Amino acid sequence: MKNMSCIIPITYLLFITLFSANAQFVKKTYLVQMDKAAMPKAFSNHLDWYSSTVKSALLTTSLESSDMKNEEERIIYSYQNAFHGVAAKLSKEEAERLEDQEGVVAIFPERKYQLHTTRSPEFLGLEPLSKGTDSIFSENLDNDVIVGVLDTGIWPESESFNDTGMKPVPSYWKGACEIGRGFTKQHCNKKIIGARVFYHGYEAAIGKINESREHKSPRDQDGHGTHTAATVAGSVVHGANLLGYAYGTARGMAPGARIAAYKVCWIGGCFSSDILSAIDKAVSDGVHVLSISLGGGVSSYSHDSISTAAFGAMERGVFISCSAGNAGPSPASLANVSPWITTVGASTMDRDFPAQVKLGNGKNLSGASLYKGPNTVSTEKQYPLVYLGGNSSGTLNPKAMCLEGTLDPQVVKGKIVICERGISPRVQKGHVVKNAGGVGMILTNTETNGEELVADCHLLPAVAIGEKDGKDLKNYVLTNKNATATLSFLGTRLGIRPSPVVAAFSSRGPNFLSLEVLKPDLVAPGVNILAAWSEDVGPSGLAIDQRRVKFSIVSGTSMSCPHVSGVAALIKAKHPQWSPAAIKSALMTTAYVVDNTMKPLKDASNAEKPSNPYDHGAGHINPTKALDPGLVYDIKPQDYFDFLCTQNLTPNQLGVFGKYANRSCAHSLASPGDLNYPAISLVFAENKSISVMTVHRTVTNVGPDVSTYHVLVSVFKGASVKVEPETLNFTRKYQKLSYKVTFTTKARQTQPEFGDLVWKDGVQSVRSPIVITWLTPIV
């Protein structure tokens, strides 16, 4: 008898053959970088040359003969400011053929990015706490700094974008107010001076946007873009609140700055060709600051489209701030780590939204919540508790996490359900509980979240509690058949101590792409941030949420990034000639590393230990100090390029960054650690014979003409440190002086050591974090 398992139907073979034949012609979007200077004289403009080059690589086959696409239709974007080239729909073979064409520098496949999802000005010292005290806004209120926000669009009707009292739009502004469904020219004003949309890359990857579900216009129906834009530069709004929580005056970091909204994110994500086009257009429009609260993990410098476009924007004098990501507390979880980008982690503020769980055994557990709705849980009554997990830890249990379809109404009806964080959105878990008949939810942190409490605008009475209390609560339920509890909500509380604390979700270093560049650069408020919101979506962001609000409270490094962008705008207003690197230096060297109890900053993921520079970078942003830093570490575009020359990149990979200004390696850096960065990260290689390393730095005096700075440096267990010279004597403003720091190994350490180098003149304190790492030989 024949072995029938070896007989493959001829129809299946035909299908596989046809599939393979068609697969090579499947078109995807590629970013094609061109050498602008290599355009042949036969072409009158670069777009014609780009089109001709793309056309020369196209394949024509019978498979597409009935629906031929010309080369212009293949090209979905052209770039000519921060990046030079096109985005084109190509097959894999066409992309490979195009890569060999004259003038093509590099080709990148399309990449998908995701969003990294008030009292903060007052907490940061940016507004008077009481009448009669001074505010730095008084000298910057009418500044003409323009901040470009790459996000989900903007809700123009928000009071945060009121332009009352603002001067006319600056004459140098070249941007546009693009119209579309729900967005007209009248929606732009002297606050929102530009609004554009970018979707060609998204549609090439996902398909046509369903305009019945999404506004194919700058209008924001997600809320994220409105929130970040208002955090950067929102106008003053009195009486701002979310359902009564956080009641007070809301304002952006730079309320006098202008906003240009670039909508690059849609329901299905944010695509690199759209992001690149937005950055390219923003530079051409005339923005001074770019705020980008999205990311997609770490790629090599030359294969990261945000990194390459940001380099081009930096060359044109634009400051770029990006979110670090929400993948903490895992180590080496950062996004957006290029040294010319300011990478921002998240921290808490001194405001909280307390709630309480009162157990039947008399014990009270402290938590947080933004619930405001029907009072289905009475504080005068105890309700049965149910937990559908077990005693084991470290295993994922769908029922314990209250995932969709896992709860039995017969088990949870009329009860308060304990749900663990993970997999699904926090508010979604409460919806699952509510649909199953539960009257309330207690959301418990896991080891990943530690004791960090993120307040949410829940759809039923719900309280979030920390990991330790969560373990005690689950043990109480598992050992007591009659376990009960009730929930209470205590409103808004200020003056929380300690604060700030590094958020558990904030992505962490080290920066494995280049250990010599410390990342994140700094942290800023990113937990429970109140700002304007889209009225097309509820405060939870879920489609099932029918509530509508003007302000919402959201957490994420997406929220911390615009805080830094706004403060950068303030610095740019006061110091219009400063470079992006000088602004970053001012932010980093003035950052603080102690909380409001005068103890080292803590890490929410591990309350037992202080945070370190891999968690908080240079420290927590200090806007008032950053406006007058005393000294700055400046870095020119060529310096960044020379840094790349130390990163083992091929000539073609270096060309990605060097073609615009025809750069070549000047070999000005003896090592990557010699980049004039405001932080020092030293790496001793596995070779134990190398025991001495020296790094060099140059500071520019931006304070009084005559000043003398003395150095202080931490003591390390593993190395001695010598700074030469120990004193810097400045005789004029903008004078540059250099110093060197020599590290000599005393005893190699198994863990990195952290410390500081500080220059002091009696008034200013210019601090740089130091990290020393001894690499261990791989056995």
Side-chain angles (χ1 to χ4, degrees):
M1 187 175 177
K2 292 181 179 179
N3 184 352
M4 297 301 292
S5 65
C6 295
I7 300 176
I8 302 175
I10 189 67
T11 53
Y12 179 77
L13 289 172
L14 284 169
F15 171 77
I16 292 296
T17 302
L18 288 170
F19 179 81
S20 299
N22 278 275
Q24 64 177 313
F25 300 110
V26 172
K27 297 174 187 64
K28 296 181 179 179
T29 302
Y30 290 84
L31 306 179
V32 183
Q33 186 177 15
M34 303 291 291
D35 180 358
K36 184 180 180 181
M39 184 180 75
K41 293 181 179 179
F43 294 94
S44 60
N45 63 73
H46 284 88
L47 183 56
D48 287 346
W49 175 45
Y50 299 159
S51 298
S52 177
T53 305
V54 170
K55 181 180 180 181
S56 68
L58 299 186
L59 299 171
T60 55
T61 73
S62 58
L63 287 171
E64 61 176 2
S65 60
S66 61
D67 186 28
M68 283 293 292
K69 301 289 185 182
N70 62 39
E71 72 278 7
E72 283 78 16
E73 289 174 313
R74 293 287 199 98
I75 294 174
I76 61 175
Y77 286 118
S78 63
Y79 310 114
Q80 52 189 338
N81 297 291
F83 187 89
H84 295 277
V86 296
K89 292 182 285 187
L90 305 167
S91 68
K92 184 179 179 181
E93 185 178 346
E94 288 171 339
E96 291 170 351
R97 291 179 60 178
L98 186 58
E99 203 163 18
D100 295 329
Q101 299 295 312
E102 187 71 26
V104 175
V105 176
I107 294 182
F108 316 102
E110 179 80 281
R111 186 178 173 197
K112 184 179 178 181
Y113 292 80
Q114 298 290 347
L115 295 165
H116 288 152
T117 64
T118 222
R119 179 168 166 78
S120 52
E122 189 172 297
F123 177 64
L124 294 174
L126 286 178
E127 64 176 321
L129 293 169
S130 59
K131 291 182 179 179
T133 57
D134 197 13
S135 166
I136 66 167
F137 284 146
S138 58
E139 60 180 295
N140 290 316
L141 188 60
D142 293 321
N143 71 74
D144 276 336
V145 175
I146 302 165
V147 182
V149 181
L150 272 66
D151 217 294
T152 63
I154 198 162
W155 189 263
E157 290 85 1
S158 171
E159 295 174 79
S160 292
F161 308 125
N162 187 311
D163 67 351
T164 300
M166 296 193 75
K167 294 177 181 178
V169 176
S171 59
Y172 53 78
W173 175 244
K174 303 294 191 296
C177 189
E178 297 180 357
I179 63 173
R181 187 168 75 90
F183 206 93
T184 68
K185 295 284 186 184
Q186 286 68 41
H187 285 122
C188 288
N189 57 14
K190 289 178 286 188
K191 168 61 73 173
I192 304 172
I193 65 172
R196 295 185 184 271
V197 289
F198 303 85
Y199 52 80
H200 296 308
Y202 177 87
E203 289 192 331
I206 302 294
K208 290 290 184 182
I209 290 172
N210 183 345
E211 295 193 53
S212 66
R213 297 180 62 208
E214 287 192 271
H215 292 285
K216 204 171 180 178
S217 75
R219 181 167 291 280
D220 177 20
Q221 61 191 89
D222 177 274
H224 192 278
T226 299
H227 198 281
T228 55
T231 302
V232 170
S235 301
V236 175
V237 180
H238 300 289
N241 68 92
L242 169 61
L243 303 176
Y245 287 100
Y247 187 93
T249 299
R251 73 196 321 162
M253 297 297 99
R258 320 288 183 145
I259 296 169
Y262 297 87
K263 185 173 180 178
V264 297
C265 295
W266 307 85
I267 288 176
C270 327
F271 285 80
S272 54
S273 60
D274 297 326
I275 296 167
L276 194 60
S277 186
I279 295 174
D280 191 68
K281 188 64 72 175
V283 170
S284 174
D285 287 345
V287 303
H288 302 100
V289 174
L290 276 172
S291 189
I292 306 176
S293 290
L294 50 87
V298 175
S299 298
S300 63
Y301 293 119
S302 61
H303 286 81
D304 184 337
S305 55
I306 289 183
S307 174
T308 54
F311 189 95
M314 173 273 299
E315 288 184 299
R316 302 282 287 270
V318 178
F319 176 91
I320 304 103
S321 174
C322 292
S323 48
N326 299 337
S330 300
S333 52
L334 294 161
N336 303 314
V337 298
S338 297
W340 47 88
I341 290 173
T342 298
T343 311
V344 188
S347 58
T348 66
M349 296 192 302
D350 66 343
R351 180 182 64 196
D352 206 354
F353 306 101
Q356 194 172 72
V357 179
K358 186 173 184 178
L359 302 180
N361 61 8
K363 186 174 182 180
N364 292 328
L365 307 179
S366 296
S369 181
L370 292 168
Y371 176 71
K372 192 73 170 238
N375 193 15
T376 57
V377 174
S378 170
T379 56
E380 304 299 320
K381 178 182 176 182
Q382 289 279 312
Y383 297 83
L385 282 170
V386 59
Y387 171 58
L388 300 176
N391 288 310
S392 60
S393 60
T395 56
L396 296 178
N397 184 324
K399 291 184 178 181
M401 291 188 288
C402 302
L403 301 185
E404 196 74 47
T406 62
L407 301 186
D408 183 350
Q410 293 184 343
V411 176
V412 305
K413 187 176 181 180
K415 299 176 182 177
I416 295 175
V417 183
I418 299 169
C419 301
E420 295 176 352
R421 284 179 63 172
I423 307 294
S424 63
R426 299 181 297 270
V427 177
Q428 180 72 37
K429 296 175 188 292
H431 179 65
V432 172
V433 171
K434 186 177 181 180
N435 280 352
V439 296
M441 174 181 72
I442 303 172
L443 186 66
T444 67
N445 281 0
T446 62
E447 183 179 355
T448 299
N449 321 114
E451 300 309 306
E452 175 181 77
L453 298 180
V454 177
D456 291 300
C457 202
H458 291 283
L459 297 167
L460 85 168
V463 176
I465 62 174
E467 181 197 10
K468 291 180 181 177
D469 280 346
K471 286 181 178 179
D472 291 343
L473 174 64
K474 287 179 276 191
N475 182 64
Y476 167 60
V477 175
L478 292 172
T479 57
N480 189 330
K481 293 182 180 179
N482 298 313
T484 61
T486 191
L487 312 176
S488 58
F489 306 94
L490 307 178
T492 304
R493 184 175 297 166
L494 304 179
I496 299 299
R497 298 161 71 91
S499 64
V501 174
V502 177
F505 61 74
S506 186
S507 290
R508 313 301 169 97
N511 168 19
F512 277 161
L513 203 56
S514 300
L515 285 172
E516 295 85 357
V517 177
L518 178 65
K519 292 284 180 171
D521 289 307
L522 73 169
V523 294
V527 179
N528 298 335
I529 304 301
L530 177 76
W533 196 245
S534 167
E535 293 183 50
D536 251 6
V537 65
S540 69
L542 299 178
I544 53 176
D545 189 352
Q546 298 302 307
R547 298 170 295 181
R548 294 295 179 263
V549 295
K550 296 180 182 296
F551 291 83
S552 191
I553 293 173
V554 191
S555 299
T557 55
S558 277
M559 284 63 247
S560 52
C561 170
H563 279 84
V564 170
S565 307
V567 176
L570 289 176
I571 298 172
K572 185 70 175 178
K574 185 172 182 180
H575 307 285
Q577 301 307 314
W578 281 17
S579 69
I583 295 173
K584 176 195 272 195
S585 174
L587 291 165
M588 290 178 66
T589 61
T590 58
Y592 58 84
V593 290
V594 294
D595 59 31
N596 57 1
T597 69
M598 299 310 295
K599 293 181 179 179
L601 293 178
K602 287 184 168 56
D603 179 354
S605 70
N606 187 344
E608 305 302 319
K609 294 182 179 179
S611 64
N612 63 57
Y614 286 160
D615 308 322
H616 61 238
H620 190 279
I621 190 171
N622 189 342
T624 53
K625 293 283 188 182
L627 286 167
D628 185 18
L631 304 175
V632 294
Y633 294 83
D634 207 358
I635 305 175
K636 292 181 171 59
Q638 181 63 39
D639 299 327
Y640 285 122
F641 188 79
D642 283 339
F643 163 79
L644 290 169
C645 295
T646 70
Q647 297 299 293
N648 298 317
L649 300 183
T650 66
N652 283 343
Q653 290 170 336
L654 284 171
V656 170
F657 302 95
K659 289 299 182 183
Y660 168 70
N662 196 27
R663 300 189 187 281
S664 60
C665 293
H667 304 292
S668 62
L669 306 182
S671 71
D674 272 343
L675 180 68
N676 202 38
Y677 215 66
I680 296 173
S681 182
L682 199 76
V683 182
F684 281 98
E686 296 94 334
N687 186 350
K688 294 184 179 180
S689 65
I690 301 174
S691 60
V692 180
M693 295 188 70
T694 300
V695 296
H696 302 80
R697 291 292 186 272
T698 298
V699 287
T700 303
N701 177 29
V702 294
D705 290 349
V706 179
S707 55
T708 300
Y709 284 83
H710 302 277
V711 73
L712 296 174
V713 66
S714 299
V715 175
F716 296 88
K717 293 179 181 178
S720 61
V721 185
K722 184 177 182 180
V723 182
E724 300 176 283
E726 295 182 341
T727 301
L728 298 175
N729 295 301
F730 292 96
T731 59
R732 65 183 184 277
K733 196 167 186 176
Y734 304 122
Q735 181 182 1
K736 296 178 183 293
L737 292 177
S738 298
Y739 66 92
K740 65 179 182 179
V741 190
T742 301
F743 298 83
T744 304
T745 295
K746 296 186 296 186
R748 294 177 70 95
Q749 303 293 298
T750 56
Q751 296 294 324
E753 279 201 87
F754 306 103
D756 303 289
L757 183 150
V758 186
W759 290 102
K760 292 190 172 185
D761 71 344
V763 177
Q764 304 289 358
S765 181
V766 184
R767 187 182 61 84
S768 294
I770 297 176
V771 179
I772 309 177
T773 305
W774 289 267
L775 298 181
T776 303
I778 299 175
V779 180

